[in-house]
Structures are given as C-alpha cells and as structure tokens.
Amino acid sequence: MQNPEIVIPRPEYPRPLLVRDAWLNLNGRWGFQMDPQNMGMVQGWFESGLPQPTQVVVPYAVESAASEIHDSTPADVLWYEREFVSPAEWDERVMLRVGACDHWTRVFINGQEVGQHRGGYAPFGFDIDHALTDGINRITLRVEDSLSWTQPRGKQAGTTRWPIDYDSVTGIWQTIWLEPLPMVCIESTAFEYKVASAELMYTVGFSAQVDGLLEVAISDHGIVIASASAKTNARSETRLRFVIEHPQLWSPDMPHLYDVSLKLTNHQANDIDTVESYVGLREISTADGALRLNEQPLYLRGVLDQGYFPEGWYTALTDDDIRRDVELTLAMGFNCARKHQKAEDPRSLYWADKLGLLVWAEMPSGRIFSTELVEALTSEWIDLVKRDRGHPSVMAWVPFNESWGVWHQAVRPVQRAFVDGVVGLTKALDSSRCVVGNDGWEFSSGDLWTLHLYFENRDIATRLDELITDPSKSVTDEYGGHKRAGALPAAAAEGLPILLTECGGIGFGRYSDSDFSYGDIPQSEEALEQHIRKITDMIDTAGSLQGFVWTQLTDIQQEINGLLYFDRTPKLPLASINALMTAIGSKRDRSGRLNQGS
C-alpha cells in the first residue's frame, strides 16, 4: 500500500507475527513542537494545529540524530502532527497502531481525542474510523515523559545518572501505521510445544469476544502439513491442538520456521479477518539442575545486548542494521542475547527467530518502589508478554534486574510480594518458558538461579561453590547501599539451573576519566584477548554453571566494555572472539555437567 516514490524510514512491515496486506506506513516527516510550559492543551493545539512547528523524522526518538531534533534534554511535553488520506478502498474500521512511544501518549484525529496510553515500550492502538473525514485528515500526538524513576525507564538517565545510564528516549521510537480491520480481529498468537508427544498447542487472541470460527493452517515450503478449526464460542481467545508428523524442530543450529495462515470468521458481523504468521517448534525446560532445549542439554553462551544504535539510539536506522546485530552475535559464538533493560523492536525478535538466536526478554526497570511503579510495570509487562510469546527465539522472561525498584525486598515483604506476584502472573500468561524473577542476586522465585559476578580477583568457581553451599552469602561487596545475597530466606534455589548472567565487562578502546568498565583496562589487543581468556577459563571450569552472559555486545556512550565498538567494528577478530566463547562449556556431557575426565 506504500507509494514507492516516497522514501519512508523503516518501511518494512513492523509486526512480523501478524502480517496483513493492507496497511499505511505513517513514518517520515512530521510537524513537531516542544511544549516546555505545557500550554498546548489549554491553547487547543490538537484543534488549531501546532503554532510554530519544526520537523521531526519518525520513528526516531527526539534525542537521536536520525530524528533531526537531536536534543538530549528535550521538554517534558512534545507534540507531533501530520496529515494523511485514508485509502478510499478501505471500507472497514480503521485502526491506528503505534509500535512504541515513550511515555504518556494522547492521540487526536481532526481535533477529537481517540485514546491515551501510558508506557514507553508496549504497542498500542486505537479505533479512529469514527473521527475520520473524506479526504485529508490530521493526526496529532501529545507525548509527555518525565525523568522520574517511579516509571519503568530502563537505562535512560533520570533524576540521577549512574555510570551505566545513557541519554534518555522520548517520543515515538517504533513504526506508526494504519490498517483496516473487521469489527473483531486477530490480535496475538502464542504456542507451547512438547517434543515427547509432538504436540503443538496454538493460542490465538482476538480484539474482543466473538462468536465465530477460527481456522488455522500450518505450511512448510508452501505445502499445508496440518490444519484445524474451532468455534470461538463468544470468547476472546481460542486454543487449537496440532500433532505434526516428522517435525523439524527449531534450534540455534537449525532455526526452522513453519508458515501459519489464520482466518477468523465473525458470524455476528458476517466479516472475516485473515493474517499470516509463523511458528517454530521448540521446547524450553529444566530438569535435574540443567537447562534444556528440545529435551537436550543447553549450555547458554549469551551476550548482554543493550539495544542502542548509532544515530537512531533506541531505533535501528534500517532493518538490515537489526539483522547485522543478530549475525554479529552469532558470528562471535553466542547462542543467546540477553536484551537488557529494553523491550526490543519486534523486528529484532523476527531476525532472532529466522537466524537462530535465543533471546531473554527483559522488562525495563524503575528504581523507586511506589504504587505507580507497581501499576505501570505490571500493566506494560502483561502487554509485552502477550506481544512476544509467539516468538520461538524468546526462551526466558525477566521482569526484574538486580533488585532495581525493589531495593529492599530482603526486608520489606511488600516488595518481595511484588516480585513473586509478577513471576506468578508471567507464568499464568505463558508456562512454556523460563521465568527469571530477579536477575543477578536476591533470588526469590523463578525457574533459574542467575548471578552477576564481574571481578576476577577471586576464582569464579570458588565463589559459585560458596553460594551453592550458602545462598545467603553476598554476591557483591555492596550494591545500592547493601550487600546482596545470592538468594533470599526460604527461596527455593536449590536444584535449579545456575547461570552467570553478567560477567566480563572488560573496557578497551578509549582512555579518559569518564569511561566506564569493570576492572582494569587492557592497553593492547593482545592484553585484551588475554584478559578475556582469563575470565572465560574460569567460567569453563565452573562445573555447576549451565551458561553465562558476557557484558556486553557494544560500547555505548561512556561504557567501553563492548566486544564491538558502537559502530559495530570488532575489537578483536570475530574468529578470535568465537574461539574464546565457544570453548566455554564444550566439555559438558549429555547431562549438561562438566566432564572432569576431559
């Protein structure tokens, strides 16, 4: 539906799990105005138009160079506007979709408010058909974002800036588009696969309760290999069961994807919704202290990926840039990316699905416990789990990191109840993946016991053995004003797979007082490789570990601890990094344990 003569930033379809033919990409140049005095609502900018607009390039946050605003300290309130013509052939209701906009967004069509959304990471959409007119229409967005840590904001610098925080992200940062839809449409997919029974349970969510028929066909190379249908029975969700003979399983070694066609017939409105999707057949599980993929031991070789890009900041300039990050991660020998403090663009998960990279999906944290944080984090996390639980690459959910925002859960039951409650909620939404309740330390609940250990002045294996013997021992000397135990009292960490989910963090490449990394900074490539090898050798000898996550993929601002520079140039040859990382865990036996005889 796009005009090929107009150059549109990020022109690819933004939601790979639910693809429809008819859509209108609204990326590109918009009118833009900051509102530092918050006068736009009083003066009716949503009706009269912006009084002194400049231009911004959507979908890039205003802090980024690609937006052409490039203001690292924008006003708390921003306004966007543009005109569009709804295609004449669209005779159904029209939906406005926003991939992500940080943080509080109010949307107006021709001066009429059509909806509001709070949250900087989850997608949202509003019916706008009732506000449209024939011909030219005007869309206006009012976006408000604060520096408060009572809202989930990840590593965006707030009222206080740690050495690991970066410049903030404000406004639209994922694709915004229109699509025509029937009265009730398909809104989500989810799956659970069991290797032993070759059984696929496939769940489809709808925009409303509907009395109709859902039909699903699974194809491989254009040939339908399984199909099923079910009455929706006035529900907003339907599950279908498939047994696929001689299945090709999805794994990093062979990321096979099946095509899925979905058709929803609404008997009440006599209309039909059709969507194209895909699914990968794979099972994530744990058993006997080991992590498993498709009932085989999985040794996780992960890298911490903050998800920032040159010029685009939170947003890659092109889809090829997203693909390149996945390819570089695989080329360095990693089989997993821990997406850290950012809910990723669905295109990133698509390329992970397609190329074979496991992903840990993490909720961006706030840092001040409050009723606002409880409400905001829970609401947005639910939307993100629903958005991403159809991606086979996503193997773990991480709602909390290093007790951020729940600093006192060891002594304040309400904070621990919050963590445990979100773990339970996540499992209720998706029982097919691991849940890591609080990554790094102070384990309370979840499927994996994950620890962050950076400094190599003591042997990692020894420190791990001490924690296994006594989980109450501190993982860190002091963090956030307190020593942080490996696990909280009465937490059932015993017998769970143990992973070292932050390590390394070696700086290299610049030498100034503002640079940040963990430990000493090597002065040459040879010294860097030796430093990495020293740590990887220690990880390899830690027989209790089921995997690791290396900090980090790229340099970002003051952080110089990436394996790649920010422009994605490797600091060491990719083959050298690959050899170091793939050597870790290579001596494990089929149980996932270190073979001492090797």
Side-chain angles (χ1 to χ4, degrees):
M1 296 273 333
Q2 313 308 318
N3 185 341
E5 297 179 359
I6 299 175
V7 178
I8 298 176
R10 298 298 302 271
E12 65 282 345
Y13 195 81
R15 190 186 49 198
L17 275 179
L18 294 174
V19 177
R20 294 184 176 90
D21 291 335
W23 70 297
L24 180 65
N25 194 327
L26 295 183
N27 291 345
R29 293 190 175 275
W30 288 54
F32 176 80
Q33 187 164 344
M34 295 193 193
D35 187 5
Q37 302 303 317
N38 194 17
M39 295 300 296
M41 288 299 296
V42 175
Q43 296 176 358
W45 293 2
F46 53 92
E47 289 182 320
S48 60
L50 305 185
Q52 294 180 311
T54 57
Q55 287 197 327
V56 64
V57 179
V58 170
Y60 304 110
V62 297
E63 290 85 353
S64 71
S67 73
E68 299 185 5
I69 302 297
H70 204 191
D71 189 334
S72 62
T73 57
D76 288 351
V77 179
L78 314 175
W79 290 78
Y80 297 77
E81 69 175 11
R82 67 160 286 171
E83 293 181 339
F84 67 92
V85 176
S86 181
E89 65 270 22
W90 288 5
D91 58 359
E92 301 175 278
R93 69 184 176 106
V94 178
M95 173 75 79
L96 171 72
R97 303 279 192 184
V98 182
C101 185
D102 199 357
H103 171 76
W104 176 23
T105 308
R106 300 177 68 173
V107 179
F108 305 84
I109 301 294
N110 297 322
Q112 179 178 344
E113 186 163 15
V114 296
Q116 301 184 14
H117 177 265
R118 290 182 185 268
Y121 299 93
F124 58 95
F126 305 120
D127 288 336
I128 64 171
D129 196 63
H130 61 284
L132 296 177
T133 62
D134 293 335
I136 296 175
N137 294 271
R138 186 178 75 250
I139 178 174
T140 307
L141 270 65
R142 179 191 182 275
V143 180
E144 184 171 347
D145 193 16
S146 76
L147 295 177
S148 173
W149 284 116
T150 60
Q151 72 185 48
R153 54 187 306 112
K155 298 185 78 169
Q156 302 180 49
T159 49
T160 58
R161 180 168 186 156
W162 292 352
I164 56 171
D165 288 334
Y166 317 127
D167 285 348
S168 60
V169 173
T170 307
I172 302 168
W173 66 274
Q174 286 185 29
T175 292
I176 179 169
W177 78 101
L178 301 176
E179 61 180 353
L181 296 171
M183 290 304 295
V184 180
C185 65
I186 296 167
E187 281 290 298
S188 66
T189 65
F191 75 97
E192 183 171 4
Y193 185 73
K194 296 295 184 183
V195 170
S197 60
E199 182 180 54
L200 171 67
M201 297 302 298
Y202 194 76
T203 303
V204 181
F206 314 127
S207 59
Q209 297 169 351
V210 60
D211 186 8
L213 181 69
L214 174 67
E215 300 171 85
V216 176
I218 300 175
S219 302
D220 193 19
H221 298 99
I223 299 174
V224 176
I225 61 170
S227 61
S229 63
K231 294 180 180 180
T232 60
N233 293 326
R235 297 179 181 178
S236 59
E237 185 176 276
T238 295
R239 299 180 71 197
L240 296 172
R241 175 181 177 274
F242 298 89
V243 175
I244 297 175
E245 296 183 4
H246 312 296
Q248 290 186 262
L249 301 182
W250 187 97
S251 71
D253 295 331
M254 187 168 292
H256 185 81
L257 298 174
Y258 290 92
D259 295 320
V260 181
S261 297
L262 301 96
K263 178 180 178 181
L264 173 64
T265 302
N266 182 349
H267 295 328
Q268 294 165 304
N270 196 29
D271 57 24
I272 295 173
D273 186 28
T274 59
V275 171
E276 296 300 317
S277 187
Y278 62 84
V279 69
L281 306 182
R282 63 101 185 96
E283 181 180 4
I284 301 293
S285 60
T286 62
D288 301 322
L291 185 60
R292 297 184 180 275
L293 172 64
N294 299 330
E295 297 190 336
Q296 300 299 316
L298 170 66
Y299 191 84
L300 205 69
R301 298 179 180 88
V303 67
L304 197 72
D305 182 358
Q306 312 275 9
Y308 287 76
F309 296 87
E311 296 187 57
W313 212 221
Y314 252 15
T315 312
L317 292 187
T318 70
D319 197 46
D320 286 341
D321 291 334
I322 299 175
R323 176 174 182 154
R324 180 179 64 160
D325 271 12
V326 176
E327 291 174 334
L328 285 168
T329 300
L330 293 169
M332 288 187 288
F334 298 107
N335 59 16
C336 179
R338 178 187 166 205
K339 295 292 183 175
H340 186 41
Q341 288 302 294
K342 178 192 177 191
E344 262 299 358
D345 185 326
R347 297 292 307 183
S348 177
L349 300 179
Y350 164 75
W351 284 115
D353 293 338
K354 193 170 180 64
L355 299 178
L357 180 67
L358 294 163
V359 173
W360 283 34
E362 184 172 318
M363 179 65 202
S365 298
R367 294 183 195 163
I368 298 176
F369 183 77
S370 63
T371 300
E372 179 186 1
L373 181 63
V374 171
E375 292 176 340
L377 187 147
T378 303
S379 175
E380 192 154 25
W381 182 240
I382 290 171
D383 288 342
L384 289 168
V385 171
K386 289 167 61 179
R387 185 195 74 173
D388 295 340
R389 60 187 177 177
H391 287 282
S393 60
V394 176
M395 62 159 292
W397 302 115
V398 187
F400 295 92
N401 172 70
E402 292 183 344
S403 302
W404 293 6
V406 286
W407 301 110
H408 305 289
Q409 63 167 326
V411 293
R412 296 183 184 174
V414 292
Q415 295 190 13
R416 184 168 177 176
F418 180 35
V419 175
D420 292 343
V422 174
V423 169
L425 179 64
T426 306
K427 286 180 169 292
L429 291 169
D430 180 17
S431 61
S432 70
R433 293 170 171 86
C434 297
V435 180
V436 180
N438 179 40
D439 193 44
W441 44 70
E442 293 189 331
F443 171 85
S444 178
S445 57
D447 302 306
L448 306 174
W449 188 16
T450 59
L451 300 164
H452 296 175
L453 297 172
Y454 275 109
F455 303 106
E456 67 276 15
N457 54 349
R458 289 188 60 206
D459 181 68
I460 289 174
T462 300
R463 294 178 70 185
L464 286 170
D465 287 343
E466 290 174 352
L467 284 164
I468 292 170
T469 302
D470 183 3
S472 67
K473 280 187 172 293
S474 179
V475 178
T476 62
D477 292 331
E478 189 163 314
Y479 187 90
H482 301 273
K483 291 187 176 181
R484 301 290 173 176
L488 296 179
E494 184 178 355
L496 295 180
I498 303 171
L499 293 97
L500 182 61
T501 47
E502 284 190 29
C503 61
I506 303 168
F508 184 77
R510 296 196 312 264
Y511 309 99
S512 70
D513 292 340
S514 62
D515 293 337
F516 175 81
S517 62
Y518 295 89
D520 297 332
I521 299 177
Q523 302 298 303
S524 67
E525 289 188 8
E526 292 77 10
L528 172 62
E529 184 168 355
Q530 292 173 4
H531 211 62
I532 293 174
R533 188 184 303 278
K534 179 181 179 181
I535 298 175
T536 58
D537 284 348
M538 281 193 288
I539 297 172
D540 191 36
T541 60
S544 56
L545 282 179
Q546 296 297 301
F548 68 94
V549 175
W550 190 271
T551 303
Q552 62 185 354
L553 184 64
T554 74
D555 290 353
I556 305 168
Q557 288 194 322
Q558 74 283 350
E559 281 205 72
I560 61 168
N561 51 14
L563 292 168
L564 312 174
Y565 293 104
F566 194 42
D567 67 1
R568 275 48 178 179
T569 301
K571 295 183 180 180
L572 293 173
L574 292 177
S576 299
I577 300 173
N578 183 291
L580 289 165
M581 297 302 165
T582 56
I584 306 174
S586 61
K587 299 176 182 178
R588 306 282 160 149
D589 61 24
R590 290 184 60 83
S591 70
R593 302 296 180 186
L594 181 64
N595 188 340
Q596 301 295 340
S598 298

